[in-house]
Amino acid sequence: YAKPAEKRQIAAEYLVLLAIIAGLALAGWRFGYLGALFEVWGVPLLFAALIANVRGWSEHMLTLPGHPLTQSRTVSSNRLLSLLFVNANYHLEHHLFPGMPWYNLPKLHQLLQDEYKAAGTYSYKSYLKFLADATLIGVHGLAPKHVRLPAHLAAHGNPRP
């Protein structure tokens, strides 16, 4: 938990950011480039936020606490995304060995496959597959009773309401 002084510092930082954004928007409106500002800054920002949120959600949501191999997940995805994420998609390996250089995380992932299978580790080869499963299970990991879970999800003991 943040101390009161830290909370004030965080609030001040957000106020400064808000003032900068408001200043840019006001200048864009005043000088007639608000549309261009939105196209070159706003649209990419929305796209980047979507990617960051999907990646962030895939790292820890719908996992089981209590064991280092089930508290996080890896989405190995493809080489291009791995390169763009600087292998941050190998999030479980990063948690297990935080000092490991980013370029060795895929090799570590391969080395730990037997341990992962024994522990029931969450691992995906695709963000789309993760999103499909997350949609099926729900934001809080509570699949409705009428939803038949695929074997790879039912095996992890996903709770139901």
Side-chain angles (χ1 to χ4, degrees):
Y1 294 100
K3 297 175 183 176
E6 292 171 330
K7 288 181 181 181
R8 284 190 298 275
Q9 193 174 18
I10 291 168
E13 182 178 335
Y14 277 111
L15 286 173
V16 168
L17 289 173
L18 184 61
I20 291 170
I21 292 168
L24 286 171
L26 184 61
W29 173 74
R30 171 69 174 93
F31 297 109
Y33 61 84
L34 188 59
L37 184 65
F38 179 73
E39 288 177 18
V40 300
W41 185 49
V43 172
L45 181 64
L46 292 173
F47 185 70
L50 174 68
I51 291 171
N53 283 320
V54 168
R55 201 196 87 202
W57 193 28
S58 71
E59 292 171 352
H60 293 283
M61 295 299 290
L62 308 174
T63 59
L64 292 173
H67 191 285
L69 295 179
T70 62
Q71 301 185 134
S72 183
R73 100 173 21 85
T74 283
V75 180
S76 52
S77 193
N78 61 59
R79 288 183 179 176
L80 177 61
L81 277 181
S82 292
L83 178 65
L84 293 174
F85 290 160
V86 194
N87 286 337
N89 51 314
Y90 288 91
H91 198 68
L92 174 58
E93 292 76 15
H94 163 72
H95 273 279
L96 295 173
F97 299 93
M100 178 72 63
W102 68 273
Y103 49 84
N104 284 332
L105 293 174
K107 296 172 195 167
L108 180 61
H109 177 76
Q110 290 304 316
L111 289 171
L112 295 173
Q113 287 303 301
D114 291 338
E115 287 80 4
Y116 289 173
K117 286 177 185 158
T121 297
Y122 300 95
S123 184
Y124 281 85
K125 293 184 189 223
S126 158
Y127 281 97
L128 291 177
K129 179 65 175 150
F130 167 76
L131 286 173
D133 285 349
T135 301
L136 182 67
I137 295 170
V139 175
H140 301 290
L142 301 173
K145 290 181 181 175
H146 70 277
V147 173
R148 183 170 180 222
L149 293 175
H152 71 281
L153 295 175
H156 286 296
N158 286 294
R160 293 176 179 268

